[in-house]
Amino acid sequence: MPLQYPLSAIVPSQADDRDDMTLALVLTTISPEVGGVLVRGEKGTAKSTTVRALASVLPPIEVVAGDRFSSRPGETSPDGDWPLDAETETRPVRLVELPVGATEDRVLGSLHLSKVLADGVAEYEPGLLARAHRGLLYVDEVNLLHDHLVDLLLDAAAMGRSTVERDGVSVDHAARFVLVGTMNPEEGELRPQLLDRFGLTVEIAAPRDPRLRAEVVRRRLAFDADPETFVEAYADAERTLTDRIAAARKLLPEVELTDAVLTKVAEVCAAFEVDGMRADIVTTRTAVAHAAWNGRTTVTRADIRHAALLALPHRRRRNPFDAPGLDEELLDAVLGDEEPEPEPPLPPEPEDEGDGDSEGPGFETGAERPPQPTDGSAERPTRPANEDQGFETGAEGPPQPTSVVAAADPYKVRRFEVTGTGAGESGKRSRALTSNGRRAGIDPTGQGGLHLVETIRAAAPHQLARGRTQGRLRFEHSDLRTARREGREANLVLFCVDASGSMAARKRMEQVKTAILSLLLDAYQRRDKVGLVTFRGDGADVALPPTHSVDIAARRLAELPAGGRTPLAEGLLTAAEVLRVEAVRDPRRRPLLIVITDGRATHGADAVARSRQAGQWIAEHRTTAVVVDCEQGPMRMGLAGSLARAMQATHLPIADVSASALTTLANAA
């Protein structure tokens, strides 16, 4: 077995030795009830290396010899009821890795096929959850895991048990493990409901200090050159970590949890307006584990602070696409400067009704909450551009000042679909043939799941010709029938946004950005891939190449300036090139092009003609497109409508992007 990189050899990402990832992992192994850790960070930040190194420093566990479910003596498992004096063995803690492409059978376990076929015995074969019992279950790129598998994992982690009722097998076994997930936010986010189920979350990044970066390279090269010597050099530090974890676990039940600490945790959670009570529970457990980790039996202000920084960032209320984070100034203001005092001893006489304060200074339940900070998203003062001056079709006009305008709150949008039926990744936008969904017919090519009834029906008329008189049916490959299921797929939604001077009026650009933000939120909910092309001045830019990270698209949108001429043709051609490249990279993902413009073209010679030619090229490639018309006012030129006809696209006024606009139109009709 290859040697693992030592945990103690990992260089902290900060010069002050503050390593939140290692701390979070250690705390959740000291107190598994914390609920696991989600690590978010850019690629190449040692996320996987740190998780794999953690298993080697955990104290070994004692299990019943021969039990497949890692039971303790005195416990019951599907393999037997083990007495307290059962024979035991000691083994290292397992690190079980769950591949992104794992099936539900592999995770839960299923019928042992070889036993059934060879011996005719229906026996349960344990899955990954059983193997991870009393150990670590690691999911790399957890944001790419199918939602139903993530739900299954988190439910098992919360309940501590796994129940299997399938294939004629009924099994219930313990599944208490530390769930660790790592992800790169650029590849897409977890759903908020799933994010909240992780006890702790950590944001990590590569160190920016050149000295720390050089030390990372130096240690990695030394490990790759001679792993045995490198590991031996850190053996003492690894043993120290193991002993400290074991001591913290032993000390954990002795940590005193006072009412003052509980009240302060509740004040912190209330100050950040977290939903539900899970945040309070996880923060309290983490603070207790942090105290035990530091060899104390009392919870201090520092323990609560560290716990809040790990347990609350992903639970605070935030607007869509806001990155998780915590205002540390607000946290320090709520915590105050005083340490919680231990509980005073009980009065000697039961009838003594003294009214002394047992909560200690700085932990009064009625303390005034500090003022909430603003989000700091105030707009920069800008001068609105005059959208009615110098922007006639084909007119160059004087240079226009640029401005940055913020979007308003997003709204629910109408659903746009790609025409036809696709066969892409499962999602929630367009019709597609998928592995799940309603049965829409029979596929004789054998590409889907087996349809037993139709397979038997296809074979039945040929039994006499195949020489069958009695006994089993005789099948041939041509009899195979599979179910053709129709569901929904995820698509590539590419936004092509006019950011020229004709759009720069504050009210119009705010309306445009709000519509795009609302469409981005819809794409996030439907599991789409998104991209952003903008055009202004004398050219077009790919502001965001197609990605699963919708929140990055929202941040790029917020920074989008407006002003200058309108190179409409360049914007359409750039969008077409992005779609062409993506069709090569991911041919199964069908595109939806959303062009947001007023239809004016003011850059270069024959601007209008070139724009129509670009639109016709998109139409010839049968790209489903929507032109969102931003033109307003009584004197409309209808240029966006002409562009939509050239593109054979849906033409939609920007006011009708909202789903509520459809309701209004229906009521009026």
Side-chain angles (χ1 to χ4, degrees):
M1 183 176 179
L3 294 175
Q4 292 291 343
Y5 194 91
L7 183 65
S8 54
I10 295 176
V11 179
S13 59
Q14 309 251 355
D16 59 0
D17 273 349
R18 176 185 169 191
D19 193 342
D20 289 341
M21 179 177 177
T22 302
L23 177 63
L25 291 172
V26 167
L27 294 182
T28 197
T29 55
I30 293 173
S31 177
E33 293 80 7
V34 166
V37 182
L38 175 67
V39 184
R40 297 160 42 94
E42 58 197 19
K43 52 185 177 291
T45 49
K47 300 187 295 294
S48 300
T49 301
T50 304
V51 175
R52 295 188 177 102
L54 174 67
S56 62
V57 301
L58 295 180
I61 60 174
E62 187 179 37
V63 300
V64 174
D67 183 77
R68 297 177 299 167
F69 298 86
S70 302
S71 302
R72 296 184 178 92
E75 290 186 340
T76 297
S77 83
D79 282 354
D81 297 331
W82 305 112
L84 291 174
D85 59 351
E87 182 182 354
T88 62
E89 60 185 7
T90 301
R91 65 163 177 79
V93 172
R94 287 174 180 162
L95 172 66
V96 178
E97 298 194 35
L98 175 69
V100 172
T103 63
E104 188 172 326
D105 289 348
R106 186 71 186 95
V107 175
L108 286 176
S110 62
L111 200 64
H112 200 303
L113 289 180
S114 61
K115 291 287 183 69
V116 173
L117 297 176
D119 305 328
V121 177
E123 182 178 314
Y124 171 71
E125 182 178 13
L128 295 178
L129 295 186
R131 181 172 174 78
H133 178 48
R134 301 178 64 191
L136 304 173
L137 183 63
Y138 173 44
V139 188
D140 192 15
E141 306 296 351
V142 65
N143 52 321
L144 304 182
L145 200 65
H146 285 294
D147 288 343
H148 72 284
L149 288 183
V150 178
D151 286 332
L152 186 153
L153 291 179
L154 296 179
D155 287 342
M159 301 298 295
R161 301 199 68 80
S162 175
T163 302
V164 182
E165 298 282 354
R166 61 191 311 163
D167 301 328
V169 174
S170 177
V171 174
D172 179 76
H173 65 83
R176 291 184 294 274
F177 51 82
V178 174
L179 178 63
V180 181
T182 57
M183 58 174 284
N184 182 355
E186 294 180 0
E187 297 174 348
E189 292 286 351
L190 278 176
R191 287 184 293 142
Q193 300 92 322
L194 303 182
L195 187 63
D196 180 65
R197 294 295 296 275
F198 279 94
L200 309 178
T201 186
V202 180
E203 296 275 344
I204 64 171
R208 302 307 180 205
D209 187 338
R211 292 172 299 175
L212 291 179
R213 297 177 71 93
E215 182 62 21
V216 170
V217 176
R218 187 179 298 112
R219 293 187 187 183
R220 187 69 218 190
L221 293 178
F223 174 78
D224 292 340
D226 190 352
E228 293 184 0
T229 301
F230 187 86
V231 170
E232 182 61 29
Y234 287 90
D236 290 341
E238 296 287 277
R239 282 191 291 270
T240 301
L241 278 176
T242 302
D243 295 342
R244 187 177 176 185
I245 292 173
R249 288 178 175 177
K250 185 176 180 180
L251 186 63
L252 185 69
E254 302 177 19
V255 177
E256 184 181 10
L257 189 60
T258 65
D259 288 341
V261 170
L262 289 173
T263 301
K264 183 53 63 177
V265 170
E267 290 179 1
V268 170
C269 293
F272 287 98
E273 299 182 340
V274 297
D275 294 323
M277 296 301 299
R278 185 176 286 123
D280 301 65
I281 296 171
V282 172
T283 304
T284 302
R285 286 174 173 166
T286 307
V288 171
H290 191 269
W293 172 243
N294 287 279
R296 288 183 272 100
T297 58
T298 58
V299 178
T300 66
R301 176 182 180 275
D303 297 326
I304 300 174
R305 189 178 193 279
H306 278 93
L309 289 173
L310 296 173
L312 299 186
H314 60 303
R315 291 188 169 92
R316 67 173 180 83
R317 290 188 179 180
R318 58 187 187 274
N319 294 324
F321 310 128
D322 284 353
L326 212 61
D327 186 339
E328 296 193 27
E329 292 184 1
L330 173 60
L331 177 60
D332 290 334
V334 178
L335 287 173
D337 298 326
E338 301 292 335
E339 292 289 352
E341 294 182 354
E343 293 281 355
L346 294 175
E349 299 294 336
E351 62 271 11
D352 185 1
E353 298 181 356
D355 56 355
D357 183 8
S358 64
E359 295 182 344
F363 280 83
E364 294 83 356
T365 57
E368 181 180 356
R369 198 172 96 184
Q372 296 281 356
T374 61
D375 60 5
S377 60
E379 299 175 8
R380 286 181 279 177
T382 56
R383 184 181 61 159
N386 186 350
E387 60 178 287
D388 295 323
Q389 182 178 6
F391 286 94
E392 299 301 327
T393 304
E396 292 290 340
Q400 298 294 321
T402 61
S403 62
V404 177
V405 179
D409 293 336
Y411 47 77
K412 183 178 180 180
V413 300
R414 61 189 297 177
R415 186 172 73 189
F416 300 106
E417 295 185 27
V418 178
T419 56
T421 302
E425 294 184 11
S426 179
K428 298 182 179 180
R429 182 173 297 279
S430 305
R431 291 178 56 191
L433 298 179
T434 60
S435 59
N436 50 25
R438 68 179 183 86
R439 187 162 66 89
I442 301 300
D443 183 3
T445 62
Q447 300 299 315
L450 176 65
H451 195 293
L452 184 59
V453 174
E454 294 296 334
T455 300
I456 294 174
R457 184 175 294 173
H462 308 290
Q463 295 304 299
L464 290 177
R466 294 172 185 174
R468 174 182 177 267
T469 57
Q470 61 181 358
R472 298 177 180 177
L473 290 173
R474 296 189 177 184
F475 294 93
E476 293 184 359
H477 187 274
S478 58
D479 300 327
L480 181 64
R481 297 292 184 270
T482 57
R484 182 166 59 88
R485 297 188 177 276
E486 186 174 295
R488 294 280 172 181
E489 68 176 358
N491 298 108
L492 166 61
V493 181
L494 181 63
F495 294 91
C496 184
V497 183
D498 185 348
S500 64
S502 64
M503 306 285 290
R506 176 170 296 273
K507 183 176 179 180
R508 176 180 291 191
M509 184 50 70
E510 178 182 336
Q511 190 178 20
V512 168
K513 286 191 173 184
T514 303
I516 301 173
L517 186 65
S518 303
L519 291 165
L520 284 173
L521 181 60
D522 180 68
Y524 166 73
Q525 294 169 341
R526 300 184 188 280
R527 305 291 186 270
D528 291 320
K529 201 173 181 180
V530 298
L532 179 63
V533 172
T534 63
F535 55 94
R536 58 185 289 269
D538 57 0
D541 295 315
V542 181
L544 180 68
T547 175
H548 286 284
S549 184
V550 181
D551 60 328
I552 294 181
R555 290 199 293 272
R556 299 286 172 86
L557 174 68
E559 302 165 357
L560 178 65
R565 301 184 181 94
T566 311
L568 178 57
E570 286 75 8
L572 295 176
L573 292 175
T574 301
E577 177 63 15
V578 171
L579 294 179
R580 185 191 67 79
V581 173
E582 281 300 306
V584 175
R585 291 177 177 171
D586 192 357
R588 295 177 67 241
R589 188 181 295 272
R590 298 188 297 159
L592 171 64
L593 176 62
I594 300 181
V595 181
I596 302 178
T597 181
D598 59 3
R600 302 188 185 190
T602 63
H603 170 69
D606 299 326
V608 175
R610 290 191 300 111
S611 300
R612 289 180 179 173
Q613 290 174 359
Q616 291 169 357
W617 188 90
I618 293 174
E620 291 172 359
H621 287 75
R622 301 185 181 278
T623 300
T624 300
V626 177
V627 175
V628 177
D629 190 350
C630 301
E631 190 176 24
Q632 296 175 334
M635 302 296 293
R636 299 187 181 183
M637 305 176 65
L639 299 175
S642 300
L643 176 64
R645 287 189 292 273
M647 295 175 59
Q648 297 181 16
T650 301
H651 176 246
L652 189 70
I654 192 170
D656 291 347
V657 172
S658 169
S660 61
L662 298 178
T663 305
T664 303
L665 292 173
N667 292 337

